[in-house]
């Protein structure tokens, strides 16, 4: 069902163009006419004119503002030729002319003055009107090109069925629950009668929630591809404009267009750009523009049910906790679909989809790659396949090999290998012991995965060396012991430096940061402290996406704040002691592996596993 483009009648545009052309022509004529006519009389330098006056050759002079014309005295009964010169500011001139007996007068007003005056009065308004008409005519039309001044009109793009690169649910993997929900939405749109006959109310708003890169935008496009109805797509940031009131008029416009095309889908990407909680930005007195836009959106969503038009609003955000509660109320975005990071089999499926576009070697094992990439979102995996392809091309291979994928994983996990950053011998030694420290402690700790590789080749922004730990399985829950183990592993590097060199370098800053964050989350988020009990001391729903969110604390009393601090310190201290004890107990092994690492720079695979299997657990 193709959409008729709602283009305006062509007349205003035609008129505007004619006006533009005419006024342009007038402008040209105005600019060049004087020059054209003025070039009839030969021009001479002012000095020559003065010379001729002094020599008594000049009979008559007409002094104009921009031009002096003069006639040479008659000779043999023939009237002398006329010349023109450009005047300079010369107060002596009248005196000189009088002295020489030259007849002189001010020039008569220019012949075409009525014409110039007319131009001066008529042209500017004409140009103004023409430009105005031009933009008005351009900003019209539904899906047509948008003009600079198309302020109020919505910028929504309209997808039409049968578009060349159609995205369907087949292009999305690893988010099965979300897909099931959205298939239902597609059913609503295709056969609304089936649902309304029983008296069911078709949901109005569906909110896709999930971390960045998990395929929310992709899913929305797939819905558009499957549903076979018009699909209006716009990003939340496009509503937010410099001018107050523009956003809300855009919302109104968008819904107006959509209602005409119903049944259809409106997709608002990055909803948080307009849907931020109205109370949360009260700090600077609020943001009027965004508030108005949001209010308009709420009004529109409430409004269209009455008309009976099937318009489903799909929206996506990766920050649901910032959304205004009014948006999530029943009757608005009452359905929330979680689009989460894919699990093992999901990752394999996504890798399959993206590796269809590249040439895979026979040894490539997508399942093994999926195993090594927990926590990767769909976008990361797409990027991974591309990185592997780039590496294969650089290595002049015909097809992508498994080792290209292995290198690509490391690139994504640890940043780019930096051969150019050269460590001196002492630094290299410190880094080697540091990394082996992580590996030794890590190999004894449950829950932090298996140590797969130690390297002292600098990588990424700050890492001078790194220890790669890869989980053997997907983990969704961690217990307290495992978290403590992770903290101890993080402190293993620094502890090794302490034991071997008796001093500490700046290299462990990042480890300490992560260890402290983790300890703080244990206390404030996971309720793992006996002293503080199972209370959540952090604010908001950051726990929803375990990981990188900052950790703003709830308002707590001074005593509680102190208690939290001391508990966090306690956890880190205990882990530190544990790491030190493990390394002291395995001092010889630490030396042996570090020496070897200094030689080879990288230890990995079976060799590493057999070395680390010699680690002795603490004998308490
Ligand atoms: P989001 O909108 O959630 O931030 P996108 O939908 O823009 O993420 O995803 C970016 C790209 O990553 C997609 O174009 C696609 O190539 C890839 N991608 C993400 N998630 C998936 C998935 N579940 N299946 C297949 N490809 C995916
Ligand atoms: Mg997106
Ligand atoms: Zn470290």
């Amino acid at each position: 069902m193709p959409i008729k483009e709602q283009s305006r009648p062509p007349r205003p545009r035609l008129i505007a163009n004619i006006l533009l052309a005419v006024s342009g022509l007038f402008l040209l004529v105005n600019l060049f006419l004087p020059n054209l006519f003025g070039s009839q009389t030969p021009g001479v330098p002012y000095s020559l004119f003065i010379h001729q006056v002094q020599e008594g050759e000049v009979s008559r002079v007409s002094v104009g503002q921009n031009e002096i014309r003069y006639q040479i005295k008659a000779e043999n009964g023939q009237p002398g030729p006329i010349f023109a010169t450009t005047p300079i500011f010369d107060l002596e001139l009248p005196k000189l002319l009088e002295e020489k007996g030259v007849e002189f007068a001010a020039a008569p007003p220019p012949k075409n003055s009525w014409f110039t005056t007319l131009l001066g009065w008529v042209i500017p308004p004409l140009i103004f009107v023409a430009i105005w008409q031009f933009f008005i005519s351009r900003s019209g039309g539904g899906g047509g090109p948008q003009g600079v001044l198309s302020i109020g009109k919505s910028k929504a793009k309209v997808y039409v069925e049968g578009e060349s690169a159609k995205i369907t649910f087949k292009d999305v993997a690893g988010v099965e629950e979300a897909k099931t929900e959205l298939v239902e939405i597609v059913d609503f749109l295709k056969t609304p009668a089936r649902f309304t006959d029983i008296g069911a109310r078709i949901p109005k708003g569906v909110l896709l929630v999930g971390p960045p890169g998990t395929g929310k935008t992709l899913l929305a496009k797939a819905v558009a591809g499957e549903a076979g109805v018009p699909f209006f797509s716009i990003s939340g940031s496009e509503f937010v404009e410099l001018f107050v009131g523009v956003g809300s008029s855009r919302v109104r416009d968008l819904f107006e267009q959509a209602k005409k095309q119903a049944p259809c889908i409106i997709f608002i990407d990055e909803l948080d750009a307009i849907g931020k909680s109205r109370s949360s930005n009260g700090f600077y007195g609020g943001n009027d523009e965004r508030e108005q836009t949001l209010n308009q959106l709420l009004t529109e969503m409430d409004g269209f049910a009455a008309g009976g038009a099937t318009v489903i609003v799909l929206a996506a955000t990766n920050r649901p906790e910032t959304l205004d509660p009014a948006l999530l109320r029943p009757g608005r975005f009452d359905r929330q679909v979680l689009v989460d990071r894919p699990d093992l089999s999901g990752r394999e499926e996504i890798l399959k989809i993206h590796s269809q576009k590249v040439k895979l070697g026979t040894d490539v094992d997508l399942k093994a790659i999926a195993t090594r990439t927990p926590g990767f979102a769909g976008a990361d995996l797409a990027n991974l396949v591309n990185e592997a392809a780039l590496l294969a091309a650089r290595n002049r291979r015909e097809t992508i090999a498994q080792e290209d994928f292995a290198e690509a994983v490391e690139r994504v996990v640890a940043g780019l290998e930096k051969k150019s950053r050269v460590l001196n011998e002492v630094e290299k030694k410190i880094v080697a012991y540091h990394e082996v420290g992580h590996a030794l402690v890590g190999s004894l700790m449950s829950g932090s995965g298996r140590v797969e590789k130690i390297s002292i080749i600098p990588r990424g922004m700050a890492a001078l060396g790194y220890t790669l730990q890869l989980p053997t399985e997907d983990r969704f829950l961690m217990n307290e012991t495992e978290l403590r183990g992770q903290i101890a592993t993080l402190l293993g590097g620094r502890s090794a430096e302490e034991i071997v060199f008796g001093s500490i370098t700046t290299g462990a800053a990042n480890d300490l940061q992560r260890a402290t964050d983790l300890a703080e989350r244990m206390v404030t988020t996971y309720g793992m402290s006996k002293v503080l009990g199972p209370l959540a001391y952090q604010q908001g729903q950051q726990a929803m996406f375990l990981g990188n969110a900052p950790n703003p604390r709830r308002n707590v009393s001074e005593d509680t704040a102190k208690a939290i601090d001391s508990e966090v310190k306690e956890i880190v201290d205990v882990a530190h002691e544990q790491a030190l004890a493990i390394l002291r107990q395995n001092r010889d092994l630490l030396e042996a592996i570090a020496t070897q690492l200094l030689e080879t720079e990288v230890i990995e695979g079976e060799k590493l596993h057999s070395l680390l299997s010699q680690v002795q657990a603490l004998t308490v």
Side-chain angles (χ1 to χ4, degrees), residues 2 12 40 90 139 211 233 282 293 320 353 364 370 386 431 461 576:
Q40 277 179 336
D90 185 357
S139 62
S233 162
T293 310
I353 289 175
V364 172
N386 191 50
V431 173
M461 296 287 284
H576 186 202

Side-chain angles (χ1 to χ4, degrees), residues 434-435 438 465-467 489-490 492-494 497 507-511 514:
H434 179 106
E435 297 305 332
H438 281 309
Y466 69 98
T467 305
T489 307
L490 283 168
R494 177 197 153 104
E497 288 183 42
N510 182 261
D511 294 337
R514 284 166 61 196

Side-chain angles (χ1 to χ4, degrees), residues 53 57 78 106 267 316 319 328 330 332 346 360 397 422 430 497:
V53 172
E57 292 172 10
Q78 295 255 335
F267 175 52
R319 305 172 61 204
L328 307 177
R332 289 168 183 164
L360 288 190
R397 272 195 270 276
V422 183
I430 295 173
E497 288 183 42

Side-chain angles (χ1 to χ4, degrees), residues 549-564:
N551 207 354
R553 279 187 200 170
R554 196 178 283 284
N555 289 331
V556 292
S557 70
E558 209 173 304
D559 288 344
T560 312
K562 262 189 204 157
I564 292 175

Side-chain angles (χ1 to χ4, degrees), residues 211-218 267 269-270 316-318:
T214 45
K216 298 181 293 296
T217 309
L218 191 67
F267 175 52
D269 209 351
E270 320 287 351
T317 180
N318 45 33

